[in-house]
Amino acid sequence: MAPVNIFKHGADEEKAETARLSSFIGAIAIGDLVKSTLGPKGMDKILLGGGKGGSVTVTNDGATILKAIGVDNPAAKVLVDMSKVQDDEVGDGTTSVTVLAAELLREAELLIAKKIHPQTIISGWRKATQAAREALREAAVDHSNDPARFQEDLLNIARTTLSSKLLTHHKDHFSKLAVDAVMRLKGSGNLEAIHIIKKLGGSLTDSYLDEGGSAEGLNVYLWFVFRQIFGSRVRVDSTAKVAEIELAEKEKMKEKVDRILKHGINCFINRQLIYNYPEQLFSQAGVMAIEHADFAGVERLALVTGGEITSTFDHPELVKLGHCKLIEEVMIGEDTLIHFSGVAMGEACTVVLRGATQQILDEAERSLHDALCVLAQTVKEPRTVYGGGCSEMLMAKVVTDLANRTPGKEAVAMESFAKALRMLPTIIADNAGYDSADLVAQLRAAHQENKTTFGLNMSEGSVGNMVDLGITESFQVKRQVLLSASEAAEMILRVDNIIKAAPRKRVPDHHPC
């Protein structure tokens, strides 16, 4: 009997082993794509944009790379989305989470080839994840009660985060800059109060943190105000009528300026052009008028000065005015900026990044943003763990011990989970050009001797104590990597059927405009 096709013409279906193999291949390919960027000695990727401009991006940030590539494989899309979530949630660990999920699926592929059922593998993985999470929680250290040690923890976390980025050679400078910026937030975690300005010229070490707000051409309060009728068509029978129209327009402008002045302000910032006559009226009233404020900084200036954006001026008593102590014009490179200092929101600050090329500036901004996100998370969740592959080996040891005590096929799945965790320090060592087999074997032996703070020292290509080296990471980031990777791998492993919908047919348009 011939097989019956229940799908529309053009729909496609992949079943059982074919579907699973397709998922594994897509996810593992994504992991292989980004794994060379992992660790302090990871390599960068050049991303070329389409279109006429052909934008060039040089980066080793996992989320940036995965956002830029178009993927068609469903499992690959799951990993790309997971990386984006990691970036949004904690800001760092985007490469680690993708690589760990890919390594879990690589191990699952081998287990399925041995005829172990996916549900058995998932059951073993869930127990392994729980054990690894408990081990990570027990290994976490909290110094939030000791301000000096917590400050040192934050600096170490910033250095560790930046050590795998473009800013690694200036990590001391930028880690201090990032910690100072985050500590100014006073625990609010509102990163919108930290404004990053990129200016070409100088070197990365010329970058600095400036208290207060800076604005390019300037941020804004008020929307649209003045419109003139010049350029409009007006039929008149004499030039005297034109003069009357101009006079009426001036009167309308004066009336609007008077309404604005009733607010009791001494600085008026407008998003659009302010014509000469209103500017003259403001000047006579002793009010500074700033025109052509940039659109991007509207909310930010209102936020840091404590004011609000308004577009009507009929009720001055309802308008909340912003305050700052000093407004001045400053030069950065060849550009003129307006600088607001002594703003109402004391935590506001501006980071000015300098660099030789636009690509360097863009990557420096991404690197600094990752560090700021991780530090903001650490201020909220002050627990820290040790990096350099230390946490992964610690979790792998606990999972292996659990596997040795577990009867049945679930033990094999647990062992594969531990092997996937051990692949992270292996890849870090490989990317640095060291003998990964030797280093990971040494690290495993050290952890068996209960040297639970030992990890990889990539500066010297040896195993070292992470406490002495100051290689610290956020507990929140590590926990998120573990949970996200195991959940994504489990979801992909459950798939036994991929159904593609039939493409929509193009219907000829019989009603052209």
Side-chain angles (χ1 to χ4, degrees):
M1 185 173 147
V4 177
N5 185 16
I6 61 170
F7 299 113
K8 269 187 179 180
H9 178 69
D12 188 24
E13 181 185 25
E14 294 177 12
K15 291 184 178 179
E17 293 303 314
T18 313
R20 202 167 281 129
L21 188 64
S22 169
S23 297
F24 288 161
I25 289 170
I28 291 167
I30 287 288
D32 289 342
L33 174 71
V34 296
K35 77 177 182 184
S36 64
T37 66
L38 189 66
K41 300 291 178 77
M43 306 300 281
D44 289 0
K45 309 279 184 197
I46 290 182
L47 308 172
L48 290 174
K52 288 182 182 178
S55 61
V56 176
T57 306
V58 183
T59 184
N60 72 347
D61 181 57
T64 306
I65 295 166
L66 295 180
K67 274 181 206 167
I69 60 170
V71 291
D72 192 37
N73 185 285
K77 283 182 180 175
V78 169
L79 293 202
V80 171
D81 290 344
M82 175 188 65
S83 177
K84 286 179 187 172
V85 169
Q86 179 78 12
D87 195 34
D88 295 340
E89 283 289 310
V90 287
D92 197 24
T94 52
T95 306
S96 301
V97 74
T98 310
V99 170
L100 179 57
E103 290 302 327
L104 283 168
L105 290 169
R106 201 189 301 273
E107 292 299 320
E109 189 179 13
L110 299 174
L111 295 181
I112 283 173
K114 293 177 182 175
K115 304 297 181 191
I116 297 176
H117 195 275
Q119 291 294 355
T120 308
I121 299 170
I122 288 166
S123 177
W125 280 2
R126 283 191 174 176
K127 291 177 182 174
T129 305
Q130 191 58 36
R133 187 179 179 179
E134 285 297 317
L136 192 66
R137 190 173 57 78
E138 288 171 14
V141 182
D142 185 352
H143 290 147
S144 57
N145 295 326
D146 185 344
R149 290 186 73 182
F150 186 58
Q151 180 89 356
E152 189 58 37
D153 275 351
L154 289 175
L155 282 168
N156 285 337
I157 287 170
R159 286 191 201 105
T160 305
T161 303
L162 294 174
S163 65
S164 62
K165 315 277 182 193
L166 173 79
L167 303 176
T168 180
H169 299 299
H170 315 292
K171 62 185 176 187
D172 288 332
H173 174 69
F174 280 98
S175 57
K176 188 174 186 312
L177 187 148
V179 170
D180 287 348
V182 168
M183 292 306 283
R184 283 179 63 84
L185 298 179
K186 302 182 180 77
S188 71
N190 181 13
L191 292 179
E192 285 183 12
I194 301 173
H195 189 201
I196 297 178
I197 293 178
K198 300 177 287 185
K199 290 294 170 193
L200 280 169
S203 67
L204 283 168
T205 48
D206 295 332
S207 305
Y208 62 91
L209 177 73
D210 190 358
E211 297 178 5
S214 292
E216 295 158 277
L218 207 261
N219 297 341
V220 62
Y221 268 137
L222 306 159
W223 241 285
F224 49 85
V225 191
F226 304 107
R227 306 211 184 282
Q228 278 191 325
I229 61 167
F230 296 124
S232 303
R233 287 183 175 231
V234 182
R235 285 182 180 274
V236 291
D237 50 16
S238 69
T239 53
K241 292 282 178 66
V242 175
E244 284 178 23
I245 291 170
E246 284 185 16
L247 189 62
E249 191 66 22
K250 276 190 169 184
E251 282 301 317
K252 287 184 84 172
M253 285 187 185
K254 187 172 188 313
E255 182 194 336
K256 185 162 273 190
V257 169
D258 289 341
R259 276 191 282 156
I260 292 169
L261 293 175
K262 282 180 184 174
H263 289 69
I265 58 172
N266 57 9
C267 177
F268 173 72
I269 303 165
N270 190 40
R271 235 175 164 170
Q272 295 179 352
L273 178 69
I274 299 176
Y275 291 102
N276 292 341
Y277 180 62
E279 195 170 1
Q280 180 188 334
L281 294 175
F282 280 128
S283 181
Q284 287 169 359
V287 173
M288 181 197 302
I290 299 170
E291 63 183 7
H292 286 312
D294 76 337
F295 279 52
V298 178
E299 289 84 3
R300 187 173 186 279
L301 189 64
L303 171 76
V304 299
T305 57
E308 64 181 28
I309 300 163
T310 182
S311 55
T312 57
F313 314 105
D314 299 323
H315 301 286
E317 69 282 359
L318 301 178
V319 176
K320 188 179 175 187
L321 298 180
H323 299 274
C324 74
K325 290 180 181 173
L326 178 66
I327 302 174
E328 58 186 335
E329 202 169 70
V330 295
M331 287 279 290
I332 298 178
E334 296 179 357
D335 298 317
T336 304
L337 289 84
I338 296 176
H339 179 247
F340 291 72
S341 53
V343 292
M345 188 178 179
E347 51 261 42
C349 60
T350 299
V351 177
V352 180
L353 290 178
R354 308 299 308 278
T357 70
Q358 192 60 45
Q359 286 79 20
I360 287 174
L361 282 176
D362 290 343
E363 180 64 358
E365 183 189 24
R366 281 189 290 270
S367 305
L368 189 62
H369 180 261
D370 283 1
L372 291 171
C373 286
V374 174
L375 290 171
Q377 287 289 335
T378 309
V379 170
K380 290 179 186 173
E381 166 55 273
R383 285 181 288 179
T384 59
V385 292
Y386 295 109
C390 168
S391 300
E392 285 80 6
M393 292 303 289
L394 183 76
M395 291 188 284
K397 178 180 179 290
V398 169
V399 172
T400 303
D401 291 345
L402 179 64
N404 292 338
R405 300 193 303 271
T406 304
K409 289 182 180 178
E410 284 183 4
V412 184
M414 291 177 192
E415 191 58 54
S416 73
F417 194 95
K419 192 176 175 186
L421 284 169
R422 280 193 291 270
M423 280 306 295
L424 286 174
T426 305
I427 292 165
I428 290 171
D430 280 337
N431 289 345
Y434 297 124
D435 183 351
S436 59
D438 179 41
L439 283 176
V440 173
Q442 287 182 41
L443 188 55
R444 194 172 179 181
H447 277 261
Q448 285 297 331
E449 294 169 11
N450 286 325
K451 295 177 181 175
T452 53
T453 57
F454 271 52
L456 297 177
N457 177 0
M458 287 293 94
S459 301
E460 298 175 9
S462 62
V463 171
N465 190 341
M466 298 294 102
V467 180
D468 300 335
L469 295 170
I471 299 174
T472 311
E473 292 191 55
S474 167
F475 168 75
Q476 183 88 336
V477 171
K478 275 279 179 265
R479 182 179 63 185
Q480 192 69 31
V481 166
L482 174 72
L483 298 180
S484 295
S486 59
E487 284 173 10
E490 180 185 320
M491 188 172 78
I492 292 168
L493 187 54
R494 284 176 177 275
V495 172
D496 74 337
N497 217 347
I498 298 174
I499 302 164
K500 292 182 184 174
R504 194 171 63 181
K505 288 184 179 179
R506 292 196 169 202
V507 180
D509 187 3
H510 297 298
H511 304 283
C513 296

